[in-house]
Amino acid sequence: MTMAPGRKPLLDVRGLSVAYGGPARQTHVVRDVSFSLGAGEALGVVGESGSGKTQTMLAVLRLLPRGGTVTAGSVRLDGCELLTLPAGEMRHVRGRGIAFVSQDALSALNPAMTVGAQIAEPLIFNEGMEEAAALARSAELLDHVGIPGAKARLSSYPHQLSGGMRQRVLIAMAISCRPKLLIADEPTTALDVTIQAQILRLIDDLRRELNMALVLISHDLGVVAGVADRVAIMYAGRIVETASAGAVFGHPVHPYTSALLAAKPRLDRPAERALRPIPGLPPDPAQPPPGCAFHPRCVHRIARCAEELPPLSPAGGDRLAACWLAGEFAESKAAAVNGTESNTHAGPVIAGTGEIAVEDLSVRFPVRTGVLRRVTGTVRAVDGVSLSIPRGETLGLVGESGSGKTTTGRALLGLAPMADGRIRYFGRDFAEIKNDPGVLPRLGQMVFQDPYGSLNPRMTVGAALGEVLSVHGLARETGVAARVNALLDSVGLRSEIALKHPHELSGGQRQRIAIARALAIEPRFIVCDEVVSALDVSIQGQIVNLLMELQRERGLTYLFISHDLSVVRHISHRIAVMYGGKVMETAPRNRLFTAPRHPYTHALLSAVPVADPKIERGRVRVEPRGEPPDPADPPPGCRFHRSCRFAVERCKTETPRLERTDDDHLVACHRWASDEVQTALTATAIPVGERP
Amino acid sequence: MMSFVVRRLFQTVPVILGVTLVTFLLTQILPGDLADVLLGPAATEESRQQLRAALGLDRSLLVQYATYMSHLLSGDLGQSLVFAQPVATVLASRLANTALLAVSAIILASAVGIAIGTFVALKPDSFRDYGLTTAVLFLNSMPPFWLGLILILVFGLELRWLPVSGMDSAVGGGGLGDLAAHMVLPTLTLAAWSLAVIARMTRSALLDVINSDFVRTARSRGLSEARVILRHTLPNAMPPVITVIGLQAGFLLSGAVLTETVFSWPGIGLAMYQGISARDIPFIQGGILLLALMFVLVNFLVDALYAYVNPKIELQ
Ligand code: SF4
Ligand code: SF4
């Protein structure tokens, strides 16, 4: 990437390659990566798992895990070569020159040290501060990153803090020695969307204030759009496209970039827009395809693509792209698109008599504390939830962690203790079905986020599916193989897969197997719990499309639980928003997104990042104050009142009931009809983009 | 953490009760009873019955257990036949010697084991790793009494550097220097096996932790390698090592019986050996009870230590 002439780059990486394994069996994970970054500039690095984005940055810090080596290239910080620096001087660079924030702050913080001791450590041992002064400075830093009661927090251990707090602590640690460059590796990936918005804004504010350069690594284009000045897209260890954020998002030139943008449902586009999942799988880093690594998945490929590697070369303006056809795509008005358009939303609902209906469902778990492990309280995981799902429809259930959405899903299948309430399944009472052995599994099944944990590692896929079939008496000895093949076919897998073990499959394939297993019993209702959350963006679309296709073919009813609002909007007919164990709002999906009536829904929507820098920068976020309530000690009245900007006295004492506002829109808020709330909420949370 | 420790302390109560029950039942399982042992094979059936009645052995098991427990609670473990003294007195006089041996062995094994384990983990798959790991495996596969005999042969009889026995009382006669000289070989013998196990556990625990994110965080902040290892890696690698040390402390107690016999070390182990040879039932009973209680105590201490190094434990 070329810098503005005359300015010396802060960080200059040239031809960097990283490999694992000995010389005999080397696997390159980063190949010939070059980029540079000016002081105070923000670069977003986007790629799927295995694209080499994290490895590149760890190589810059010389913190590659054991077995990883830099095989070629140079890394200069302020003109000083880092790769050959003696270890002692490199230590001097870390923390002061370049600081690092990793994802999952829980594992990135030392569990056995207090927060204060960890922040103060380099101040004492590297900067030579007195301990008292270092602790005072640590408290300032905590305050700076927005942790209330900073002084008192110094003596907390990481596990005593919430996820958002931990990430703030990690950021405080990173800026403690005033680095010139901050590398943030997926800093918000494990966080809820409202917390994610807070953390991203914090990082952006800090970088301006401290004039730090920033490298923001993410798999999510939306996260990068709001912060980065420039963006680099990585695929199979190489940068395939890099340009200013506006250029990359506005007019992607590389087919992979545009495919990535088209693969993910977006809140700023009509829900009916088709998803174009990228066909195939990301390449195995050990054996990348020859030529352009993307060619097996690229619809534009020409003969040359499979033979010759396209170099990263100028493609108009400040853009570099590695594609033989970059020139054409750069000139043509439309961005390169990839993938076949998939069918959009589920067709007309098969009118059915039965449905899933939940009334006043409550699930409570005991809390045990003290010497005798006495029950000292209850967690009201789900507190008086009512829902209904017409047959053949999808109800999307969204909410942040601790909102009770997963527990609700589990209770619907009898997997969580129901303390109160009534569930009706296609006209039959749940209690009655539950006592009838073997009936419940045939009506309802669940698919989990982590199919690896729910598949037996010792069984082949075929054996696992066959077992389900024979346990439920659905196939006789002779028919099992044929049924297994039919099942695999229905989830888009070839029959050879039956002979494999779960660890031999990719994440997307495992998720397909998990779906096949749920389908084996031919249930009518499936609870999908975060089924695409662990998958790469290019694979997510494939699974979402598969679920929608199966629904159309078989008239399945889904409860689709997810924290990802854009995916939920794409797949659902209706959406329910949960907060603190209660349903706050339910509405048909378009209504919910265009005209939310609950203050929480509005705040939630406004926090979802959109992959368009123009929108992101102009957006006004209504961040809810503070963090979601503790389900063991829920606030009285409206669960949201501590964070709600419209709260009045009544909200603190009286719990609002879910009431019908018009035929299909239910809201639990005392003030939804007030002018103040109505006007504030008409300012749409999600601006709609200019392009179709 | 405190509440965890207190809870853990409460949990030892049923364990201790169970231990007393087992040691009591031991007399029922062993062939012959106290009357047989006291009177010898030549005694008449009639005199046996008389003695049984006098000792209360003809009462129901429950009554016998109650009597046993009430004696226990008043510190009365019965009269040893071999030593012609109350069992409690004999055990008390020997406890210090055994504890001295066991404690120094476990300290030696832990210190050297952790040091070796750390040293090799810093450079895995290197020459030092292979060399030391092989040496440790060798130690690990050696039976303690055999090692004891080898040590006696080499250092005691060939080189004559160290005394091999004659240690009548830990504090008797020769003063501290003499005590130390007498302790070297038995401590080494007793510590060898545990040392090997602790070293191996430290190596693998450290290799696990050294790849964790928080170690990378510490490095990314420019901390020195010594701090990264000593402050961030080692403490977090300790929980499994502490568990192993606890288990080893238990094994040391049984290892002490063999080692004390080989070196004629006047501890509980040697006394137990003598007691068992003479079928001294009250003494065996008392000895086993003491060893079991020490085992429980060690386990409790390990758990308390565990809670100390792992602040998260209070949540469980
Ligand atoms: S080089 Fe060929 S295969 Fe690669 S992205 Fe461009 S058109 Fe597609
Ligand atoms: S009930 Fe009150 S606190 Fe709750 S969302 Fe409505 S206005 Fe806010």
Side-chain angles (χ1 to χ4, degrees), chain A residues 322-397:
Chain A
C323 171
W324 291 122
L325 303 178
E328 276 172 45
F329 293 135
E331 274 158 35
S332 74
K333 269 205 113 173
V337 287
N338 192 56
T340 39
E341 205 163 287
S342 74
N343 241 317
T344 174
H345 199 269
V349 172
I350 304 165
T353 45
E355 56 167 17
I356 307 281
V358 181
E359 252 172 73
D360 258 337
L361 173 74
S362 291
V363 178
R364 299 187 196 112
F365 297 108
V367 184
R368 291 169 196 279
T369 47
V371 172
L372 298 173
R373 307 267 79 192
R374 257 195 310 250
V375 177
T376 49
T378 42
V379 172
R380 296 159 173 273
V382 176
D383 196 8
V385 160
S386 301
L387 298 168
S388 83
I389 320 174
R391 179 184 240 168
E393 276 200 14
T394 302
L395 176 71
L397 195 54

Side-chain angles (χ1 to χ4, degrees), chain A residues 222-233:
Chain A
V223 163
V224 164
V227 179
D229 303 318
R230 287 188 301 133
V231 177
I233 310 282

Side-chain angles (χ1 to χ4, degrees), chain A residues 16 74 125 128 180 184 210 266 273 368 412 448 488 533 586 647:
Chain A
L16 187 70
S74 113
F125 295 95
K180 293 181 201 147
L210 306 175
R266 285 173 59 165
R273 192 186 70 122
R368 291 169 196 279
L412 272 177
F448 300 92
L488 289 174
S533 308
T586 71

Side-chain angles (χ1 to χ4, degrees), chain A residues 254-255 292 294-295 298 300-302 305 310 322-325:
Chain A
H254 197 282
C292 170
F294 188 57
H295 86 258
C298 181
H300 302 284
R301 68 171 166 264
I302 50 176
C305 301
C323 171
W324 291 122
L325 303 178

Side-chain angles (χ1 to χ4, degrees), chain A residues 70-333:
Chain A
V70 173
T71 54
S74 113
V75 174
R76 288 171 181 276
L77 183 75
D78 268 340
C80 162
E81 176 62 51
L82 297 186
L83 294 180
T84 52
L85 213 58
E89 286 173 47
M90 187 63 211
R91 267 203 293 280
H92 205 82
V93 170
R94 292 189 200 125
R96 297 185 181 112
I98 311 178
F100 182 68
V101 171
S102 66
Q103 67 169 308
D104 189 10
L106 183 58
S107 66
L109 292 169
N110 187 337
M113 267 171 100
T114 61
V115 162
Q118 292 190 61
I119 302 178
E121 214 180 358
L123 299 176
I124 299 171
F125 295 95
N126 295 357
E127 313 279 326
M129 272 168 119
E130 292 289 319
E131 191 174 335
L135 282 175
R137 173 89 185 107
S138 306
E140 275 170 41
L141 283 163
L142 283 183
D143 191 55
H144 199 155
V145 297
I147 291 188
K151 260 222 179 70
R153 278 298 173 201
L154 289 178
S155 52
S156 299
Y157 284 96
H159 70 268
Q160 294 166 328
L161 304 178
S162 70
M165 292 283 187
R166 282 196 288 263
Q167 202 64 43
R168 285 175 194 267
V169 169
L170 208 54
I171 292 170
M173 283 165 62
I175 61 168
S176 62
C177 297
R178 299 198 154 252
K180 293 181 201 147
L181 166 64
L182 178 71
I183 297 178
D185 182 10
E186 305 265 10
T188 59
T189 300
L191 302 175
D192 281 320
V193 56
T194 53
I195 309 292
Q196 163 172 295
Q198 292 174 9
I199 297 290
L200 285 175
R201 213 195 46 203
L202 173 69
I203 290 178
D204 200 36
D205 289 351
L206 285 173
R207 101 169 151 103
R208 285 168 209 283
E209 200 182 312
L210 306 175
N211 193 27
M212 281 187 301
L214 171 71
V215 173
L216 179 65
I217 304 172
S218 181
H219 67 282
D220 186 340
L221 282 158
V223 163
V224 164
V227 179
D229 303 318
R230 287 188 301 133
V231 177
I233 310 282
M234 287 189 75
Y235 188 79
R238 295 179 193 276
I239 293 181
V240 294
E241 179 166 6
T242 170
S244 69
V248 167
F249 287 98
H251 185 169
V253 157
H254 197 282
Y256 176 65
T257 311
S258 45
L260 214 50
L261 279 163
K264 181 118 178 115
R266 285 173 59 165
L267 291 186
D268 59 329
R269 302 286 166 78
E272 289 72 19
R273 192 186 70 122
L275 268 196
R276 296 168 192 270
I278 310 177
L281 297 174
D284 174 1
Q287 295 165 318
C292 170
F294 188 57
H295 86 258
R297 308 173 77 186
C298 181
V299 294
H300 302 284
R301 68 171 166 264
I302 50 176
R304 191 180 185 190
C305 301
E307 283 147 25
E308 268 178 274
L309 176 73
L312 190 64
S313 36
D318 70 342
R319 187 197 309 266
L320 300 176
C323 171
W324 291 122
L325 303 178
E328 276 172 45
F329 293 135
E331 274 158 35
S332 74
K333 269 205 113 173

Side-chain angles (χ1 to χ4, degrees), chain A residues 63 66 91 94-95 100 102 107-111 113 118-119 121-122 125-126 157 159 173 176 370-371 373, chain B residues 6-7 10 124-125 213-214 216-217 219-225 227 231-232 236 309 311-312 314-316:
Chain A
L63 284 176
R66 232 166 68 74
R91 267 203 293 280
R94 292 189 200 125
F100 182 68
S102 66
S107 66
L109 292 169
N110 187 337
M113 267 171 100
Q118 292 190 61
I119 302 178
E121 214 180 358
F125 295 95
N126 295 357
Y157 284 96
H159 70 268
M173 283 165 62
S176 62
V371 172
R373 307 267 79 192
Chain B
V6 173
R7 197 163 71 237
F10 273 111
D125 302 323
D213 286 358
F214 60 82
R216 189 175 66 191
T217 306
R219 290 215 170 101
S220 79
R221 304 182 70 209
L223 296 172
S224 68
E225 202 52 26
R227 273 202 82 74
R231 190 71 185 88
H232 292 268
N236 285 292
V309 295
K312 255 187 288 190
E314 63 182 321
L315 292 180
Q316 283 142 25

